[in-house]
Amino acid sequence: MESESLYNLLQFPKEVDQPTEEELPRGGKKKYLSPSSRRDPKFEELQKVLMGWINTTLLPEHIVVRSLEEDMFDGLILHHLFQKLSSLQLEVEEISLTSASQRHKLGIVLEAANQSLQVEEPQAKWSVETIFNKDLLATLHLLVALAKRFQPDLLLPDNVQVEVIHIESTRTGLKSDKLVEQLTECGSHKDQASQDAFDELFTLAPEKVHGVKEAIVNFVNQKLERLGLSVQSLDTQFADGVILLLLIGQLEGFFLHLKEFYLTPSSPTEMLHNVTLALELLKDEGLLSHHVNPEDIVNKDAKSTLRILYSLFQKHALSAEGNRAPHGTPN
C-alpha cells in the first residue's frame, strides 16, 4: 500500500469531510471517490441515465429520484423499483420511520435482489451497510446490475471507471491507497450504437444546428396552426410535454383524453409524466430509434428535443416531399 499522509492527497470535494484519526479508529477503513472522478462527464452521465431510467419506471407511482446518493439509502425506492422490475411482491413495511426498520427493509430488498441477480453476498459490490451509509459507488454498482438484468437495452455510458481513495488508520497514522473500479463495461459496439446523426451534428457541424432548428420550427408551426398554437423556441417550449403531445396527436391521429396528461403542468413530476407519455407514443409508432431520457427533455436539452422532433419531421415532412418528387429528394 502506498504510504502517505491523508493531507497530502488531492483535496476532497467540499461535500466530503476528511476523516481524522479520532474519527477513524485504529484498523478502521474508509473509501471515497476522488474529486476528479466525481467531476468526470461519463460518471455524471451514468448517474443521469440511471435516474432517468428509475424515474420512468416508477412514474406510475409518482416517485421521483433527484439524487442517487441521498434518495436510495432507506430501501423505499429500491423496494418499489425491484418490485416493478421483477413483478415480485416483497413482504416489507411500506413506510419505515426508524433507522432499525429502514435497515431491516433494505436487507430484505437486497436479499431478494441478490437472489434475482444470482450474486452471493460476499461477492456483491454492495451491502446493507454501504447502501444505508449512502455509498454512491455501491449504489451505482447495484443499479447498473439491475439495469443489465432487467433492461439490457438501456444505453449506459461505455467504460465508466472511477478512482477510489482507500484510507486506513494504522499505528503510524492515516495511510491511503488509490485504486480504479470499473462501473460499466468496455464495448465499442455500444458506443457506435448510441451515436446518431444528431451526435455528429452537434459535435462536427454545430454551425448547422440553427438551420435544422428553423426547418423543424416551420414544420411544427404548420401542423399546430389549426390548434391556434405556435412555437418560437424548441429549447424551452417542449419541456413540459404539452405541445409535444398535441403535435403527436395531430400528426399520428391520436385523441388524448385530458385525464391522460396534464394540460397545465405545475411541477417537474407532472412535466415528466407528459414527456414520458409522449416518448411511449413515439416508441409504439416505431418512431423512436434512439433512446431518449424524458428528464433530458424536461431539462431543456436541445439535442434530445431535436432528436424526437426530427423523428416526426422525417416521417411527415420528408416523406411528403418524397411522394411529390419521386425522382429525387432535394438536399
Side-chain angles (χ1 to χ4, degrees):
M1 178 180 288
E2 177 186 344
S3 177
E4 58 179 328
S5 167
L6 172 68
Y7 300 103
N8 290 332
L9 289 172
L10 291 172
Q11 287 188 354
F12 285 92
K14 291 180 180 179
E15 66 270 18
V16 176
D17 293 329
Q18 298 181 15
T20 64
E21 294 184 32
E22 291 76 16
E23 293 172 338
L24 196 61
R26 184 177 298 181
K29 298 179 181 179
K30 284 190 176 183
K31 66 178 184 178
Y32 299 90
L33 283 169
S34 71
S36 58
S37 289
R38 281 184 173 270
R39 295 191 297 268
D40 184 88
K42 291 180 75 171
F43 180 70
E44 293 177 344
E45 178 65 16
L46 176 62
Q47 294 180 74
K48 188 176 179 182
V49 170
L50 289 171
M51 278 195 289
W53 170 60
I54 294 170
N55 287 336
T56 301
T57 303
L58 298 181
L59 183 65
E61 300 178 46
H62 305 288
I63 293 175
V64 177
V65 174
R66 303 196 185 280
S67 168
L68 296 180
E69 201 162 15
E70 297 294 331
D71 295 348
M72 310 297 293
F73 78 98
D74 61 0
L76 175 63
I77 292 174
L78 282 174
H79 170 216
H80 283 267
L81 178 65
F82 181 72
Q83 285 198 152
K84 188 78 172 179
L85 295 173
S86 66
S87 300
L88 297 175
Q89 294 297 314
L90 302 181
E91 295 297 326
V92 295
E93 295 178 341
E94 179 62 29
I95 302 295
S96 301
L97 299 178
T98 67
S99 177
S101 62
Q102 289 172 348
R103 280 177 177 271
H104 178 70
K105 177 176 183 174
L106 180 61
I108 294 175
V109 174
L110 289 186
E111 182 180 6
N114 289 345
Q115 288 178 357
S116 181
L117 295 169
Q118 297 183 340
V119 174
E120 296 292 335
E121 188 173 343
Q123 283 76 47
K125 296 179 180 179
W126 55 85
S127 65
V128 173
E129 191 67 23
T130 55
I131 300 293
F132 192 76
N133 287 328
K134 303 181 182 180
D135 184 322
L136 179 58
L137 192 59
T139 302
L140 288 173
H141 275 303
L142 172 60
L143 293 174
V144 168
L146 289 172
K148 289 169 64 178
R149 166 69 174 83
F150 292 103
Q151 192 163 346
D153 61 337
L154 182 66
L155 291 173
L156 299 174
D158 188 48
N159 194 27
V160 179
Q161 297 178 325
V162 290
E163 183 182 67
V164 183
I165 302 170
H166 291 252
I167 299 167
E168 181 180 6
S169 177
T170 68
R171 183 173 55 83
T172 57
L174 294 176
K175 294 181 180 179
S176 69
D177 193 21
K178 298 175 186 176
L179 301 174
V180 173
E181 285 195 33
Q182 192 89 21
L183 281 165
T184 62
E185 300 170 353
C186 301
S188 58
H189 66 284
K190 285 206 250 179
D191 244 2
Q192 293 168 358
S194 67
Q195 300 291 313
D196 69 355
F198 281 99
D199 291 305
E200 295 183 7
L201 178 68
F202 275 75
T203 303
L204 304 177
E207 72 281 357
K208 296 182 179 180
V209 172
H210 180 70
V212 174
K213 285 184 178 181
E214 279 193 343
I216 293 180
V217 164
N218 289 336
F219 161 72
V220 168
N221 283 334
Q222 287 175 10
K223 303 304 176 183
L224 292 178
E225 187 177 7
R226 70 191 70 177
L227 297 178
L229 300 172
S230 66
V231 169
Q232 284 75 46
S233 171
L234 294 184
D235 296 345
T236 60
Q237 287 184 263
F238 288 89
D240 63 7
V242 176
I243 291 180
L244 181 58
L245 284 169
L246 295 175
L247 177 64
I248 294 171
Q250 282 288 304
L251 294 173
E252 299 296 321
F254 293 139
F255 173 76
L256 293 174
H257 197 283
L258 290 177
K259 291 182 179 179
E260 295 180 19
F261 71 104
Y262 297 95
L263 188 60
T264 56
S266 59
S267 69
T269 301
E270 294 179 357
M271 295 165 67
L272 189 63
H273 172 91
N274 286 353
V275 173
T276 301
L277 174 59
L279 294 180
E280 287 174 353
L281 293 173
L282 291 174
K283 191 173 181 179
D284 289 344
E285 292 299 303
L287 296 176
L288 206 58
S289 59
H290 194 283
H291 177 73
V292 176
N293 286 322
E295 281 195 335
D296 290 344
I297 307 298
V298 174
N299 292 330
K300 304 174 184 177
D301 180 74
K303 189 195 298 185
S304 297
T305 304
L306 271 178
R307 183 176 280 125
I308 60 173
L309 291 174
Y310 184 76
S311 67
L312 291 166
F313 177 77
Q314 191 174 33
K315 177 179 179 180
H316 294 279
L318 298 186
S319 62
E321 287 186 7
N323 291 335
R324 290 196 300 269
H327 299 292
T329 304
N331 291 330

